[in-house]
Amino acid sequence: MTINIDRRRLLIGASLGLGALLLPAGRVFAAEMQAAKGFTHNVASGEPGPDSLLLWTRYVPADNLDEITLQVELASDRTFASVVAGASVRTGAYRDWTAKLTLAGLQPGQTYWYRFIAPDGSHSPVGRSRTLPVGDVTGFKLGLFSCANLPMGWFNAYAHAAQREDMDLWLHVGDYLYEYGIAAYKTQDRITEREVMPAHDHEMISLLDYRLRFACYRADPDLQALHQNVAMVALWDDHESANDSWEGGAQNHQPATEGDWNARKAAAMQAYREWMPVSEEPWKAYRIGNIGTLYRTESRLIGRTQPADIGSAYLAGTDAALEAFRDGPWQDPSATMLGLEQEAWLYQAMADNARTSQWQLVGMGTILGRTLMPPQTLGMLRGDASERTAQAFRNNIRGTRLGLPMWMDRWDGYPAARARLLRAAQQADAELVMLSGDSHNAWAYSLQQDSQPAGVEFAVQGVTSGGIEGSLGAAPADVARAFMATNPELSWCDTSRRGYALLDITPQRINGEWIFVRDIKVRGTATDDTHRMQVERGRRAFAALG
């Protein structure tokens, strides 16, 4: 594909300063040409340990330099009267002027404030972060996010969460941004003011594209506030590269027009690691004292095998074809979401940590819970649903009759790998808590393997991305009842609203709360009702709290 980009766009995100996305329609493109300098995208922190924090910022010098050195200060107070650590870090155009470094030698369970200092003496905004606790921990509060599509709505979930003063850590389980060009969205589904670059029908393909899209998203003031106030552990899912990606390709990658997949994948991974407060480690465990261990996983670009193709079985139009798929390719034991190296690491880490930490919290891009399409949904379709949509529902309902799930791109499409994970948790006697996203809707699963409880799953709704409700005209409560009646693992769901989730973790129980923002088309922090679920240690199944 030939991409025509003028020289000024090679400045990448330098054009997008604080609050640029609040400008009226069309002004974002003018802002791009202004080539803002200085600390263009606030600060962020991540990868917390008991004695360390990773700190991030972006600084573009006013002079025509290739490289600059930033200083960082870490203090135990907001005023920086007591600076307890510091270091220097270099950055340049070679990494899009982003800078990150890890400060060690800190105290566990402590709140710190940090800032960067430029060569001209200017200061970045002040960020707040917190190291992980050690020893006996009586409580820990974790926020859970997924699926934030900037053109489709305001990041009100981020804004609401950023106002909280009681949180210890954010966990973002992927689809932090989306690769599509503006032309891919229906006019009625997006907000005119929420433009992204590259523009129009141009997807993220090159390193330039991915960097520029990150610059757009990270200019959002509500996302900046979220990063500024609490550390984040983040993992990518598919849209940080391309829809339904796996190690060797993606549904939304066409080699004939978009080039080599490996080049696109490498560009996506590089830009993510430049623009996010993450380490270079592909997966990692975070010990939260004796209350639990959090695992950051990678389930898209490094080890995931290509999902089995159910499409040909649907096209054949016979139950025999679906049965052959169900009993053959779908059950392939070589299929893996994590890759065998990461599987071995995770299973051994859970076995080791389950002996000394109460909860094993596994962050995952996609849902593990078994989900079949309810037969009733065909009669719930919107009156204006396309024939393509109706046929997709008919296919999934045919699959349901034969025990085939509706989501082949998620763990449902890899049943042997799913069984390996759940059995590993059972054999470790682990209190497994899956933390996932991707579907854009909210779900709570009481997971089972070999007819025995295996753990629970908090699956969070999208920040702005629309879910299955876009195809259904029935009342959300009726949709939820149909899904729960069809799926024994499903304890609760909401298929209509956006927001985020909170987990209040104690040694004996976890109280989870799905928070629903009132609107995403108007900027604000108003919320509707919430839904709470609880899991008690030893139960490995959900109980409703109302």
Side-chain angles (χ1 to χ4, degrees):
M1 169 179 274
T2 300
I3 304 171
N4 295 316
I5 300 176
D6 63 40
R7 183 180 180 279
R8 286 186 178 269
R9 286 190 181 175
L10 296 178
L11 294 171
I12 316 298
S15 58
L16 292 169
L18 306 182
L21 297 186
L22 295 179
L23 295 172
R27 296 279 300 281
V28 171
F29 303 108
E32 185 199 5
M33 308 307 290
Q34 294 171 1
K37 307 296 182 180
F39 291 102
T40 63
H41 287 80
N42 210 305
V43 295
S45 67
E47 303 292 333
D51 62 352
S52 63
L53 291 166
L54 184 150
L55 309 178
W56 180 99
T57 195
R58 183 172 187 269
Y59 181 85
V60 181
D63 300 326
N64 186 23
L65 301 174
D66 294 326
E67 185 179 71
I68 53 99
T69 298
L70 301 174
Q71 305 297 321
V72 64
E73 293 180 334
L74 188 88
S76 58
D77 66 303
R78 293 178 185 268
T79 65
F80 287 82
S82 179
V83 174
V84 298
S88 60
V89 59
R90 294 184 187 182
T91 187
Y94 54 85
R95 58 170 301 110
D96 205 13
W97 299 105
T98 63
K100 63 182 179 182
L101 77 166
T102 297
L103 291 182
L106 309 181
Q107 295 299 308
Q110 295 296 310
T111 298
Y112 291 97
W113 286 262
Y114 63 94
R115 64 188 179 188
F116 290 82
I117 304 172
D120 63 4
S122 61
H123 291 78
S124 72
V126 174
R128 183 182 65 177
S129 195
R130 187 172 177 83
T131 53
L132 295 180
V134 298
D136 292 334
V137 178
T138 58
F140 191 86
K141 292 188 177 181
L142 178 71
L144 181 62
F145 302 93
S146 176
C147 303
N149 197 325
L150 188 146
M152 294 190 71
W154 296 100
F155 289 163
N156 294 335
Y158 290 155
H160 186 271
Q163 294 177 350
R164 302 184 67 101
E165 297 288 335
D166 59 342
M167 301 305 298
D168 294 295
L169 184 67
W170 305 129
L171 174 63
H172 203 297
V173 292
D175 294 345
Y176 184 95
L177 48 64
Y178 282 71
E179 80 272 25
Y180 304 120
I182 286 293
Y185 300 93
K186 296 178 181 178
T187 302
Q188 65 268 26
D189 290 340
R190 68 180 184 89
I191 296 176
T192 305
E193 297 93 334
R194 304 280 279 175
E195 298 284 355
V196 292
M197 297 292 287
H200 195 55
D201 61 347
H202 186 69
E203 289 182 7
M204 302 187 297
I205 298 172
S206 69
L207 178 58
L208 171 66
D209 300 332
Y210 284 99
R211 284 172 165 176
L212 186 54
R213 187 64 57 84
F214 265 107
C216 290
Y217 272 70
R218 290 297 302 275
D220 182 272
D222 297 321
L223 179 52
Q224 287 187 5
L226 188 81
H227 277 297
Q228 187 177 359
N229 291 340
V230 179
M232 177 182 286
V233 168
L235 56 99
W236 60 55
D237 191 32
D238 55 340
H239 288 291
E240 289 89 347
S241 54
N243 183 57
D244 289 359
S245 53
W246 57 284
E247 182 183 9
Q251 175 275 330
N252 194 32
H253 179 77
Q254 293 73 45
T257 57
E258 295 173 330
D260 178 59
W261 167 249
N262 287 325
R264 183 176 186 178
K265 179 173 73 170
M269 294 170 71
Q270 178 176 335
Y272 187 91
R273 287 169 173 162
E274 288 173 346
W275 277 86
M276 295 294 288
V278 297
S279 69
E280 308 301 301
E281 301 163 273
W283 47 80
K284 191 172 182 178
Y286 308 83
R287 181 66 179 259
I288 309 170
N290 62 5
I291 204 173
T293 303
L294 173 66
Y295 302 90
R296 170 169 58 82
T297 63
E298 196 291 318
S299 59
R300 279 291 176 186
L301 302 178
I302 297 177
R304 179 198 276 242
T305 56
Q306 187 172 16
D309 180 16
I310 195 174
S312 57
Y314 282 143
L315 286 174
T318 65
D319 284 353
L322 282 174
E323 289 169 352
F325 172 83
R326 180 196 63 197
D327 300 334
W330 185 52
Q331 298 288 348
D332 187 350
S334 70
T336 174
M337 291 276 282
L338 303 177
L340 298 183
E341 179 185 355
Q342 187 182 183
E343 280 193 29
W345 166 80
L346 178 60
Y347 304 161
Q348 186 60 54
M350 283 199 300
D352 294 341
N353 293 320
R355 302 186 185 103
T356 54
S357 63
Q358 281 93 334
W359 303 98
Q360 305 307 301
L361 307 149
V362 181
M364 190 67 66
T366 55
I367 290 173
L368 194 77
R370 192 91 191 281
T371 316
L372 283 72
M373 181 69 78
Q376 305 95 304
T377 53
L378 190 60
M380 295 178 174
L381 287 176
R382 293 167 55 96
D384 59 356
S386 67
E387 174 55 28
R388 180 179 178 182
T389 296
Q391 185 59 50
F393 273 77
R394 285 193 289 268
N395 286 341
N396 280 318
I397 291 167
R398 285 180 57 212
T400 293
R401 294 199 307 268
L402 299 174
L404 285 165
M406 54 188 277
W407 289 332
M408 286 295 165
D409 180 59
R410 299 159 196 176
W411 282 88
D412 264 347
Y414 300 73
R418 179 187 189 271
R420 289 195 298 270
L421 192 160
L422 293 176
R423 284 173 182 150
Q426 289 172 329
Q427 291 165 8
D429 197 24
E431 299 294 334
L432 177 67
V433 180
M434 300 297 301
L435 306 172
S436 62
D438 184 66
S439 79
H440 309 167
N441 295 125
W443 315 82
Y445 295 89
S446 296
L447 303 168
Q448 297 233 340
Q449 180 60 41
D450 302 323
S451 302
Q452 296 297 319
V456 300
E457 181 168 32
F458 292 89
V460 68
Q461 70 272 32
V463 171
T464 60
S465 301
I468 197 172
E469 74 280 356
S471 300
L472 301 175
D478 294 335
V479 176
R481 279 191 289 270
F483 269 97
M484 291 172 65
T486 305
N487 295 282
E489 287 189 341
L490 187 60
S491 299
W492 167 84
C493 67
D494 179 278
T495 62
S496 63
R497 295 177 289 178
R498 311 281 78 82
Y500 68 109
L502 296 178
L503 277 73
D504 188 354
I505 306 166
T506 69
Q508 293 304 316
R509 65 187 54 83
I510 295 178
N511 292 329
E513 183 177 18
W514 287 262
I515 296 172
F516 301 102
V517 296
R518 184 164 299 169
D519 197 353
I520 61 169
K521 302 302 183 183
V522 177
R523 192 164 182 243
T525 57
T527 60
D528 286 330
D529 61 317
T530 66
H531 185 82
R532 296 184 298 150
M533 301 286 284
Q534 181 185 89
V535 56
E536 294 185 0
R537 181 168 169 79
R539 293 289 303 276
R540 299 173 190 173
F542 274 119
L545 288 177

